[in-house]
Amino acid sequence: MYIILGATGNTGSVVADKLLDKGKKVRVFGRDSKKLAPFVNRGAEAAVGDVTDAAALSKLFAGAEAVYAVIPPSMSATDFRALQDKTTEAIASALEASGVKNVVTLSSVGADKTEKTGPVVGLNYLETRLGKIKDLNALHLRAGYFMENTLAQIGIIQNFGMTAGPLRADLPLPMIATKDIGEYAARALLALDFKGQQTQELLGQRDVTYTQVAKTVGAAIGKPALAYVQLPNEQVIQAMSSMGISRNVATLICEMSDSLNNGYMRALEARSPKNTTPTTFESFVKEVFVPAFSGKAASA
C-alpha cells in the first residue's frame, strides 16, 4: 500500500496515477472528497482530512509500504512557516507511530539552508526532522523552480501587457514541470532503492531566465514584444495582497526571490542525466500556459 499526501496537487496527482497504472494499491489523502473521486474510480482508497492531524495520519499510514509526503501550499496563511512546521511534526509523528520505513518527500533546491529562503526554510526542517526517525529511508526531492509558477503571469499580461515579478530578468533558473517531479517520485516509490537519508536535486530540462520566459510566452500568444520587468519587493507584496495572498506568504516569497537573485539559494549538483528532466519550457508553454491563457482571456 502506498500513501499519497496532497493527492490532488500537481505532483501528488501524477504520483497516484502512475502507481495506479502499475496496479499498485494506493490510498490518497486530501481535503476534498470530490477531488479524490477520480482516483477512487480507478481503484484507490480515499481518506479526507487535515494534513496537520497527526492522529489521522497515523491511522492513514498504518500498514503502508511507503509514503509520498508534501507540505501543501496555503496562500492565505497568516503564519505559513508555523503551518509548515506543524505539518512536518504531524507527518513525522505518524511515520514514527506507524512504523513506515520508506518516504519520498517534495523538497526544494535551497533546502540545505536554514534561513533566508522564505518557505524553503520549512523544507529544510522537514528534511531535518525526518532524518531523526530511526531506520527510516527517506528520499528528499529538491526540485527546481516550478514552470507552473509562470502561470501567475497570465493576469499580469492581461492587465498590464508585460510580465513582471521580483526575480532578476537575467537569472538562470532550473525550471521544472511539476509532472516531471511526480513521475520521478513515482519511479522512486516503485523501486524503493534508497537507503537512509538521501537528497536528489531535480533541475528541469535546462536553466531558463525570465527574459526567456517572456520571449517564449510572447511568441506563443501572439505578443512578440512581450517583456519582463523586475519589480521592487514592496510592490510585489502589495500586488500579491490584492490577489488574496496573505502579506506573510508574499513576504516569504520575496525573501526566497532575494536569495535566488543573490545566489545564496542555488542548486548544489552539477547538471547531469540523473537530475535533468524531459519537459522543455517551450512544450510547457504550448501544453499548459497557452490553454490557461486562452481560458483566462475567454472569461475576462
Side-chain angles (χ1 to χ4, degrees):
M1 175 66 74
Y2 291 92
I3 310 301
I4 313 300
L5 301 183
T8 60
N10 285 335
T11 65
S13 59
V14 175
V15 175
D17 279 332
K18 293 297 180 182
L19 294 177
L20 289 168
D21 286 346
K22 295 292 185 179
K24 300 297 182 181
K25 292 183 178 179
V26 173
R27 189 177 292 149
V28 291
F29 184 79
R31 291 172 286 194
D32 187 336
S33 60
K34 291 181 180 178
K35 292 182 178 179
L36 295 173
F39 303 111
V40 175
N41 293 338
R42 297 195 60 201
E45 296 178 15
V48 177
D50 188 329
V51 76
T52 64
D53 186 339
L57 292 187
S58 296
K59 293 179 182 178
L60 181 76
F61 291 179
E65 184 174 17
V67 171
Y68 179 63
V70 301
I71 298 177
S74 177
M75 304 308 283
S76 60
T78 55
D79 189 346
F80 183 59
R81 282 288 301 106
L83 180 60
Q84 284 181 301
D85 289 354
K86 185 177 181 181
T87 301
T88 288
E89 285 300 329
I91 292 170
S93 297
L95 288 169
E96 290 168 331
S98 64
V100 172
K101 296 302 182 188
N102 304 291
V103 61
V104 174
T105 75
L106 175 59
S107 187
S108 171
V109 164
D112 56 296
K113 302 294 194 295
T114 60
E115 60 177 359
K116 301 179 182 177
T117 59
V120 179
V121 174
L123 300 176
N124 171 274
Y125 181 69
L126 172 67
E127 292 188 13
T128 302
R129 177 65 178 87
L130 297 194
K132 296 177 180 178
I133 300 176
K134 186 179 179 181
D135 298 327
L136 178 68
N137 302 312
L139 176 62
H140 306 293
L141 300 180
R142 291 182 174 176
Y145 187 89
F146 293 172
M147 291 182 186
E148 281 77 2
N149 290 342
T150 65
L151 296 173
Q153 298 295 329
I154 291 174
I156 301 172
I157 296 168
Q158 294 286 352
N159 291 316
F160 302 105
M162 64 180 184
T163 61
L167 291 168
R168 283 175 22 220
D170 63 345
L171 177 68
L173 294 162
M175 282 201 186
I176 186 166
T178 53
K179 71 174 184 178
D180 287 354
I181 303 170
E183 288 173 359
Y184 192 102
R187 290 194 297 271
L189 288 165
L190 289 167
L192 292 179
D193 56 358
F194 50 92
K195 298 295 180 185
Q197 299 288 314
Q198 297 184 20
T199 61
Q200 175 61 58
E201 290 186 348
L202 297 178
L203 305 181
Q205 186 264 340
R206 72 182 191 280
D207 290 359
V208 181
T209 68
Y210 257 98
T211 293
Q212 293 168 328
V213 167
K215 183 177 180 180
T216 302
V217 167
I221 63 173
K223 297 180 183 291
L226 189 68
Y228 174 80
V229 177
Q230 183 182 357
L231 300 175
N233 283 351
E234 188 55 40
Q235 191 172 346
V236 172
I237 291 168
Q238 290 177 4
M240 287 184 171
S241 298
S242 71
M243 296 163 57
I245 298 171
S246 75
R247 186 173 181 87
N248 173 260
V249 171
T251 301
L252 288 171
I253 290 171
C254 285
E255 179 181 87
M256 178 180 68
S257 298
D258 287 343
S259 287
L260 285 167
N261 283 337
N262 64 29
Y264 174 75
M265 177 178 165
R266 64 186 186 281
L268 302 180
E269 300 176 15
R271 184 173 288 280
S272 68
K274 187 174 184 181
N275 61 31
T276 296
T277 50
T279 302
T280 65
F281 185 66
E282 288 78 8
S283 62
F284 171 82
V285 168
K286 179 181 178 181
E287 296 166 12
V288 180
F289 192 101
V290 170
F293 182 86
S294 298
K296 192 86 170 184
S299 62

